[in-house]
Amino acid sequence: MTTCESAMKTFVVDTHTLVWFLSRSPRLSRAAHAILRDPTVRLIIPAIVLAEIKYLSSRGRFAQTLDDVLRVISTDPRCLVYPIDLGVVQQAPCHSRHP
């Protein structure tokens, strides 16, 4: 996960973090779990994460389907799906930090 400084704390959620959170895996750190449960943060989900989840599900490595994940994130107003391309990466004012 990565954080950006702004009025509302914003975190970019990677594939493992989202999969572990949704599957309630003990591999998810307490800090990451707290962030994902925090109602005051914004959660950015790069589109590539959804592609990876679709792949993992099709290979039997993740029990939930892409549709399952989309239902969860579409009902959470904190979640924003971002297309990630070179322009987005170059403009991102984020710094890397792992909770």
Side-chain angles (χ1 to χ4, degrees):
M1 296 177 76
T2 304
T3 183
C4 300
E5 298 303 321
S6 67
M8 174 185 243
K9 286 199 175 188
T10 301
F11 294 88
V12 177
V13 182
D14 70 13
T15 304
H16 283 100
T17 301
L18 186 56
V19 166
W20 291 343
F21 179 73
L22 294 174
S23 64
R24 299 184 176 140
S25 172
R27 297 192 292 191
L28 183 66
S29 73
R30 287 184 183 162
H33 189 269
I35 289 167
L36 292 169
R37 284 279 188 211
D38 186 340
T40 66
V41 301
R42 174 172 290 134
L43 302 171
I44 302 296
I45 302 168
I48 190 66
V49 167
L50 300 176
E52 291 172 340
I53 286 173
K54 182 176 181 177
Y55 172 79
L56 291 172
S57 177
S58 74
R59 304 288 288 174
R61 297 189 56 205
F62 180 52
Q64 294 175 323
T65 66
L66 175 61
D67 287 339
D68 295 333
V69 173
L70 290 175
R71 272 191 290 281
V72 170
I73 64 176
S74 70
T75 61
D76 188 336
R78 300 170 311 136
C79 295
L80 300 170
V81 176
Y82 270 29
I84 298 295
D85 60 20
L86 184 56
V88 170
V89 172
Q90 289 174 326
Q91 296 299 315
C94 301
H95 64 338
S96 181
R97 182 178 81 130
H98 300 283

